[in-house]
Amino acid sequence: MTATGAPATAPPFAVISGAQVHDALQGRESRIVGLVEETYRLHGAGDSVNPPSYFLRFPDRPTARIIALPASIGGSVGVDGLKWISSYPDNVAAGIPRASAVLILNDRDTGYPFACLESSIISATRTAASAALAADVLSRGRERPTRVGFFGVGLIARYIHTFLAATGWSFDEIGVHDLSSDNAAGFRGYLDQADPGRVTVHETAEQLIRSSDLVVFATVAGRPHVEDVTWFDHHPLVLHVSLRDLAPEILLASANVVDDVEHCLKADTSPHLAEQRTGTRDFLLGTLDDVIAGRVVPPTDRPLIFSPFGLGVLDLAVGKYVYDEISRAGELHIIDDFFRELRRYG
């Protein structure tokens, strides 16, 4: 029996392609930012289960990893599930994206999985929506940035720019910096068509940071590589999306907001290294939900850094939104007889 008393039945199983995911999300940036904010509120209120992510690593492939993010979210979303996302940096040299992912959605009454979605787009979307939400919320008590700098210019940077532009942001100047000059040139080409702001490719990280009021880190760095605290003397708002770019000294000289304290202070992230350096968590102001709810008011007299670990509940919320949109359109690809043995007895 289900929680409502109805007889339990196995739901049909659907496979949702990346093309369907893209079409369901395109042009709905503001709606997704609102959904992400709602999910943060549910998570902050305890209406979620979000265990630690599990990292599968390989002795013979030390740069590669596959991460499992199990989660459950309540409220109007009401779904359980798992994101299974790989990160293989060597893919980039081979001309394919670093990350690939699937998302499994599970029925809350029976536990049966009812959908498998291509999830690299969902992952990029929830990351960009979280960043756009943070940029808006964290800039409310300070002068709104007019100069943005992108440090690392892959898929995530493009999605973040798209979400910023679609939620009302405009910039007089846009800075670009990447270790690959080809990547930087490609991103500049995208910006020249997508944004009227003046675009500058900076040769050094220092140039980019000093010339930006809003700095977006979207790299594949495995350890801190930005160490000079003075580069941030102008107190920018920093979206530290890639989590491992900044030396502990920079965080300790800044105001710090995370998406979830326990999740973010793990796996040698920059906040985790700062905690190891000091033995305390006093350098953290709180979570983005704390700021949204008014429990925390960020100061304006120092850099303000948002470091999101990336919560599985966000993937579930966006994935369930995609599923519902495709279901309403009558375009679900159901796999008949996916569950072969459904008789408990006999």
Side-chain angles (χ1 to χ4, degrees), residues 279-297:
T280 76
R281 299 178 173 183
D282 293 345
F283 62 93
L284 294 180
L285 285 178
T287 66
L288 186 61
D289 181 59
D290 289 330
V291 180
I292 293 171
R295 293 185 294 269
V296 167
V297 178

Side-chain angles (χ1 to χ4, degrees), residues 13-17 102-105 113-118:
F13 185 80
V15 173
I16 298 175
S17 71
V102 294
L103 179 69
I104 302 295
L105 302 181
F114 63 86
C116 176
L117 301 86
E118 195 286 328

